[in-house]
Amino acid sequence: MSLVNYIYLSAILFAIGSAVVLVRRNAIVVFMGVELMLNATNLAFVTFARMNGQLDGQAIALFVMVVAAAEVVVGLAIIMSIYRARRSASVDDANLLKL
Amino acid sequence: MIASMAGALPTEFVMTQISYAAVLPMLLVFGGAMIGVLIEAFAPRRFRHEAQVTLTLLTLVAALVAIATSARDHQGITAAGAVVIDGPALIFQGVIVALAAVGVLAMAERFTADEADAFTQSGAAVPGSPREAAAVRLGATSTEVFPLTLFAVAGMMLFPASADLLVMFVALEVLSLPLYILSGLARRRRLLSQEASLKYFLLGAFSSAFFLFGAALIYGYAGSLELSDIATAVQNQSGMDGLLIPGVLLVVVGLLFKVGAAPFHAWTPDVYQGAPSPVTGFMAAGTKVAAFGALLRVLYVAFEGVRWDWMPILWGVAILTMVVGAVLSVTQTDMKRLLAYSSIAHAGFILVGVLALNQKGVSSTLFYLVAYGFMTIAAFAIVALVRSSGNEATHLSQWAGLGKRSPIVAGVFAFLLLAFTGIPLTSGFTAKFAVFAAAVAGGGTWLVIVGIICSGITAFVYIRIIVLMYFSEPAGDTMVMTPTVMSTLCISLGTLVTLWLGIIPSPLLDLASQSTLFLR
């Protein structure tokens, strides 16, 4: 199978992730969309590393995983504190700030 | 392919050379932040505020000294091509550290209480819950804001000094993650603050994913994430052409989100309104400086070869940003939202300077960022002083007649508004003049015309507030808190720099134009 197919797959996963961010209401699901986008990027990095005959892309993917883990810590803490204050993690309910 | 991969592996481990003298300022700030975390863990509660404020300010001063002495003499690309310390990087780092020091002064304001006034005493407790009441009764403090600020500052320093898109991504996250938390720690109107934090986080994570996917496409194109390698690949037109332009645009979208340019500005008003005012000032100034530094480096070093592909798009973004910022600021009724839309308009003016694509473009952008940074930190420090029944009086109607209630505060704020407008004898005028002159020299006359029209619209907004403060009768129970040394110092420094850069701009302009050469 051609390596380019993996790039197509990663682009499709990235698009699904961004659609989830834009369409879904639950903050946790929105956040899962972001994670899907980051992991799609990892797949692209690893595939390109294979295409270019280097190891750099795989090392980059490790860095991205660490950063994504740090993001999860901060993100879930923020979503938790909102959920406990409002009993809801819906981004539509968070509407105090308006024009 | 397997054989070629094996061939690419180094036969012997080579240790990376790091010029520690060049990265000393960043190491100092990271170190200060770590010590701050230790203080948070071990120092008794009653000493924490003083200890943290002292440590933070000392760290920032030490970093500034290190930039001026040690790092300046060790310029070059270091850490295996990951970090570049050159003229622009040094001056951006210096500006970020100076702005952060002034911003920390505003955060440390505590009036007559024992803890910082702007921050909640227990960020983890549910607003209005018995746990929060217990934390207040026990005299809890949120001194963790100071180490968090230092971490954000370190990320901001690394952002414009990264010579590699991966390092830039890591720096982007290091500067953003503490800011997401900081914006959720306001003491008053906590639900609003938590909501700002959530919105900032979700949109920030979304945009950094775009940045990263752009970097992945560029990696596929150039086979490397180092900016100089990308520039070479762009020049030789080697690699898969279809990947380059989408990659460039996605990376630029990630950076434009951080500077708050339209159409990626939606988070700005909400976050600026919800976050504690001193944090808003620090964030508005520091993030803008860092993100514009990174944007300049990416556009001028890596993607200069394909400028005809991204220039028209960025022209559109600059025009849209100026128009959206100026027009929407007219309809605002909340002071912090108004300043947020003004920051969007200013981001547009700075983009005009960036798009000049010449040396004047770099130096005028720098000058604008310094001018904007100092006035905005002082302005938000003043917003934090004006109160109505305990809360910050952010509705415009509550500012009516402030000139009669508190002539000094209203006078200083009016001066800062004139600087936002760009009236001569303030830094705002010199800054606008510099970016517009650079843009005309770079062939951006149309941008300048739109910029001048938008300046006119924003002038109406600012003058209306001045009229409101001086020519209408005081209404309601608005009062002005008496600032202690900390805010006084912050506001005076911000105002003095604004005045100084308006009267004698040449030292900073000279310094900026001497350090416009990006190392490749």
Side-chain angles (χ1 to χ4, degrees), chain B residues 67-210:
Chain B
I67 291 168
T69 55
S70 143
R72 206 174 57 168
D73 301 331
H74 293 84
Q75 299 191 15
I77 299 180
T78 178
V83 176
V84 55
I85 301 294
D86 55 7
L90 280 174
I91 197 159
F92 273 110
Q93 291 190 337
V95 170
I96 288 164
V97 170
L99 287 172
V102 178
V104 164
L105 289 176
M107 286 184 207
E109 174 63 71
R110 50 182 184 170
F111 301 115
T112 49
D114 285 334
E115 65 281 323
D117 177 76
F119 299 100
T120 173
Q121 280 148 305
S122 172
V126 176
S129 67
R131 237 186 98 196
E132 190 192 34
V136 172
R137 202 170 49 246
L138 282 171
T141 59
S142 275
T143 37
E144 66 264 29
V145 295
F146 296 104
L148 283 174
T149 308
L150 279 184
F151 278 121
V153 171
M156 287 171 186
M157 290 168 76
L158 184 58
F159 205 27
S162 38
D164 186 306
L165 285 179
L166 177 67
V167 178
M168 207 174 259
F169 172 71
V170 173
L172 174 75
E173 293 293 331
V174 171
L175 89 86
S176 301
L177 292 178
L179 285 179
Y180 300 149
I181 304 175
L182 283 174
S183 28
L185 289 179
R187 170 175 297 189
R188 302 168 190 89
R189 298 183 182 151
R190 282 192 59 200
L191 284 179
L192 218 66
S193 177
Q194 288 184 343
E195 189 177 313
S197 170
L198 178 73
K199 285 185 175 169
Y200 195 14
F201 169 73
L202 288 178
L203 290 174
F206 190 48
S207 79
S208 57
F210 277 103

Side-chain angles (χ1 to χ4, degrees), chain B residues 318-372:
Chain B
I319 291 176
L320 191 67
T321 308
M322 289 187 287
V323 171
V324 165
V327 171
L328 287 184
S329 63
V330 175
T331 61
Q332 298 309 313
T333 52
D334 184 282
M335 186 56 88
K336 284 167 90 175
R337 281 187 97 81
L338 190 148
L339 289 177
Y341 277 103
S342 128
S343 103
I344 296 171
H346 282 289
F349 298 140
I350 302 172
L351 264 181
V352 171
V354 171
L355 288 176
L357 278 184
N358 50 27
Q359 292 205 355
K360 275 270 185 317
V362 181
S363 63
S364 63
T365 303
L366 249 169
F367 188 89
Y368 204 121
L369 287 166
V370 177
Y372 173 75

Side-chain angles (χ1 to χ4, degrees), chain B residues 423-440:
Chain B
I423 300 290
L425 290 186
T426 63
S427 61
F429 173 75
T430 329
K432 276 209 178 97
F433 187 81
V435 289
F436 289 164
V440 169

Side-chain angles (χ1 to χ4, degrees), chain B residues 20-43:
Chain B
Y20 287 102
V23 294
L24 181 66
M26 284 183 272
L27 293 181
L28 278 173
V29 177
F30 272 122
M34 301 286 187
I35 299 174
V37 173
L38 287 181
I39 291 182
E40 203 55 35
F42 294 112

Side-chain angles (χ1 to χ4, degrees), chain B residues 72 75 87-88 91 359 363 366 506-517:
Chain B
R72 206 174 57 168
Q75 299 191 15
I91 197 159
Q359 292 205 355
S363 63
L366 249 169
S506 47
L508 181 66
L509 274 176
D510 287 345
L511 182 68
S513 50
Q514 279 161 18
S515 37
T516 55
L517 270 188

